[in-house]
Amino acid sequence: MDFDDGLGEVFADFESAAVVHCPYCGEPVELLVDLGGGVYQDYVEDCEVCCRPWRVRLILGDDGGLTADVGTLDDV
């Protein structure tokens, strides 16, 4: 059975990566985006350079653009 939920077509035009700067060490890091995670995403990920945890917030826009914001876990 071949199952196609059509999500590949919906997300095909979205950016799948963003470069962000670690709020601790300041190093640029490429953040890979799970397009299947939904339009609004909020999760914790560790910096690849200094290993400190970030709070990541992503918004996939209607125009296919990606807004990515990272902060410390203490940021409100």
Side-chain angles (χ1 to χ4, degrees):
M1 182 171 152
D2 186 19
F3 178 75
D4 180 10
D5 60 8
L7 291 178
E9 294 175 22
V10 173
F11 292 113
D13 294 331
F14 282 101
E15 297 175 28
S16 59
V19 174
V20 296
H21 288 84
C22 175
Y24 296 103
C25 69
E27 290 294 319
V29 177
E30 184 176 47
L31 184 66
L32 299 178
V33 179
D34 176 8
L35 298 178
V39 176
Y40 302 101
Q41 300 180 30
D42 191 340
Y43 59 92
V44 174
E45 183 168 324
D46 292 340
C47 175
E48 294 176 4
V49 178
C50 70
C51 300
R52 295 183 73 182
W54 310 328
R55 181 175 182 188
V56 179
R57 296 179 190 136
L58 301 174
I59 299 174
L60 303 176
D62 293 336
D63 61 354
L66 170 66
T67 301
D69 180 53
V70 295
T72 67
L73 292 183
D74 298 329
D75 291 344
V76 177

